[in-house]
Amino acid sequence: MSERQSSRKDAIRNREAVLAAADALFSRRASPEDITMADVAAAAGVGKGTLFRAFGDRAGLLRALYEARLEPIREAIEAGPPPLGPGTPPQDRVRALLDAVLCFKLDNGPLALALEDSGSDSSPYRADHYERWHGLLRAVLEQIPGLTDSDFTAHALLAATRADLVEHLAGERGIPRERMREQLAGFVAKVLAPGPRPGGTAEE
Amino acid sequence: MSERQSSRKDAIRNREAVLAAADALFSRRASPEDITMADVAAAAGVGKGTLFRAFGDRAGLLRALYEARLEPIREAIEAGPPPLGPGTPPQDRVRALLDAVLCFKLDNGPLALALEDSGSDSSPYRADHYERWHGLLRAVLEQIPGLTDSDFTAHALLAATRADLVEHLAGERGIPRERMREQLAGFVAKVLAPGPRPGGTAEE
DNA sequence: TTGCAAAACGGACCCACGGTCCATATCTTG
DNA sequence: CAAGATATGGACCGTGGGTCCGTTTTGCAA
């Protein structure tokens, strides 16, 4: 899983050095904007050329880092125990999923921010990690009887966990972690709540 | 309200020329990123210095444009007829408010995108137009009995109308305007629906 | 071990863009 | 009309992402 089949070993070594260095830099609390590619290269002890050769561009590096940090959660979702893993009742799983996303953003604030920002040309919605979250969430939502528009609902729920919103609430407004998890859970609950009449009140 | 009390009239004239030119440029379908300050200056027939003197920086220009386009809606909210204006039952008003935001983003895609993106250093959540929307929405939500966490709920609902999401759904996925409005309305309805038990874990 | 081509390196270099500066042109007032 | 105040505009700067290419490393094979 961790090796690219690049033939040469120095390439692999450098790639990992860069990844490690970037990981360290983005963990140190700082505006993601303040970390330049040159910084990363220097921290990794390689030249900029190497860095770009390995990851294509800034977004590529960010993506790689993101995926790496996401790995454990992904595993937990694909084959872990409830409430994250499969075999959980849909409603619980949706809540667990969103809670996991929230916690992830809470823990990886700067990185997530950087990644979502970097989508200046390509919106965050084209990133395939988003596609994965959305696809999974939608699939689970679809199993809940009486719930329509799972596609849009999945988008809307995920939007509530956008990195910059989370960052704003946690950083600027000082809302503590547990409080935010409760609030999100409450929100999700409202959305999932078996309405008095599915589709009833929303008549245009 | 529309004049700055700059003493000199050419300043005012240039300011409006810039505003008009920028408005035109951002209406022409193009990635907001492709429009540089130099472009705007050229289109307005002024020098870059003038442009920066008048608006401070790129974000300032975007903000000014945004506010200008927002003006009608703002009036409709402050003193217009229902369902947008005051004196509307809270639930209806919330729905109308979010529908208005959605329509606005639908109509002003590139500009809204540019503004939200420009928040690389300052998240969109610091912009005071956001504060206004959020404050208003929260206030209205607060009038709905049995609804807790209005602050977070307001954020979460607004998140569902983020410019890049709207853009993605409308552009990439080709979801038609009316469909999206329905979906958002349905989502809002779910959130506002008087839950069977507020705060309870709705489980089997 | 040595030879050699392919692959990777790295940092000088390029360029686009936001933002600044200041000599000059334009107002405004008395 | 003079003179101070104010605005102008485009040359100029710093920064940071991304590229290029001469040099070094690696893998393979003789």
Side-chain angles (χ1 to χ4, degrees), chain A residues 55-175:
Chain A
F55 296 97
D57 58 5
R58 185 182 166 91
L61 170 59
L62 265 358
R63 233 177 297 130
L65 246 185
Y66 199 81
E67 296 291 339
R69 293 205 190 174
L70 214 46
E71 191 54 27
I73 295 176
R74 189 169 162 189
E75 275 173 29
I77 286 172
E78 276 174 16
L84 260 189
T88 311
Q91 318 224 354
D92 290 344
R93 200 162 181 219
V94 168
R95 226 176 301 173
L97 247 26
L98 284 162
D99 188 56
V101 176
L102 175 63
C103 288
F104 182 77
K105 304 252 173 126
L106 242 16
D107 292 334
N108 302 72
L111 176 58
L113 248 190
L115 190 58
E116 287 189 9
D117 275 7
S118 83
S120 38
D121 48 341
S122 68
S123 63
Y125 293 97
R126 260 182 228 164
D128 55 344
H129 63 90
Y130 183 84
E131 303 262 306
R132 275 206 309 278
W133 282 116
H134 176 260
L136 174 59
L137 190 55
R138 200 197 58 209
V140 180
L141 284 172
E142 229 137 45
Q143 296 170 10
I144 298 179
L147 210 162
T148 57
D149 289 331
S150 352
D151 192 274
F152 180 85
T153 304
H155 281 299
L157 285 177
L158 282 175
T161 68
R162 290 278 297 250
D164 48 6
L165 175 54
V166 171
E167 185 68 16
H168 175 71
L169 294 179
E172 210 83 8
R173 306 274 308 272
I175 297 180

Side-chain angles (χ1 to χ4, degrees), chain B residues 44-204:
Chain B
V46 304
K48 275 176 62 178
T50 302
L51 196 159
F52 279 95
R53 166 175 293 267
F55 296 96
D57 58 4
R58 185 183 166 91
L61 170 59
L62 264 358
R63 236 178 293 130
L65 247 183
Y66 199 82
E67 297 290 340
R69 294 204 189 174
L70 214 45
E71 191 55 25
I73 295 176
R74 190 169 160 189
E75 275 172 28
I77 287 172
E78 276 174 17
L84 260 189
T88 311
Q91 319 222 354
D92 293 342
R93 199 160 182 222
V94 168
R95 227 175 300 172
L97 247 26
L98 284 162
D99 188 55
V101 176
L102 175 62
C103 288
F104 182 77
K105 305 250 173 126
L106 242 14
D107 292 333
N108 302 71
L111 176 57
L113 249 190
L115 190 58
E116 286 188 11
D117 277 6
S118 84
S120 37
D121 48 341
S122 67
S123 63
Y125 294 96
R126 260 181 226 166
D128 53 344
H129 63 88
Y130 183 85
E131 303 262 306
R132 276 206 309 278
W133 281 116
H134 176 258
L136 174 60
L137 190 55
R138 200 197 57 210
V140 180
L141 284 172
E142 229 136 46
Q143 297 170 11
I144 299 178
L147 210 163
T148 57
D149 289 332
S150 350
D151 193 274
F152 180 84
T153 305
H155 280 299
L157 285 177
L158 282 175
T161 67
R162 289 278 296 249
D164 48 5
L165 175 54
V166 171
E167 185 69 15
H168 175 71
L169 295 179
E172 211 84 7
R173 305 274 306 272
I175 297 180
R177 182 191 185 90
E178 295 308 319
R179 177 90 189 99
M180 210 184 305
R181 291 177 66 189
E182 281 169 22
Q183 290 183 319
L184 178 63
F187 185 76
V188 174
K190 265 181 248 153
V191 174
L192 298 190
R197 8 183 153 284
T201 54
E203 270 348 278
E204 60 268 19

Side-chain angles (χ1 to χ4, degrees), chain A residues 168-201:
Chain A
H168 175 71
L169 294 179
E172 210 83 8
R173 306 274 308 272
I175 297 180
R177 183 190 184 91
E178 293 309 321
R179 177 90 188 98
M180 209 182 309
R181 292 178 64 189
E182 283 169 20
Q183 290 184 320
L184 179 64
F187 185 76
V188 174
K190 266 181 248 152
V191 175
L192 298 190
R197 299 276 176 273
T201 58

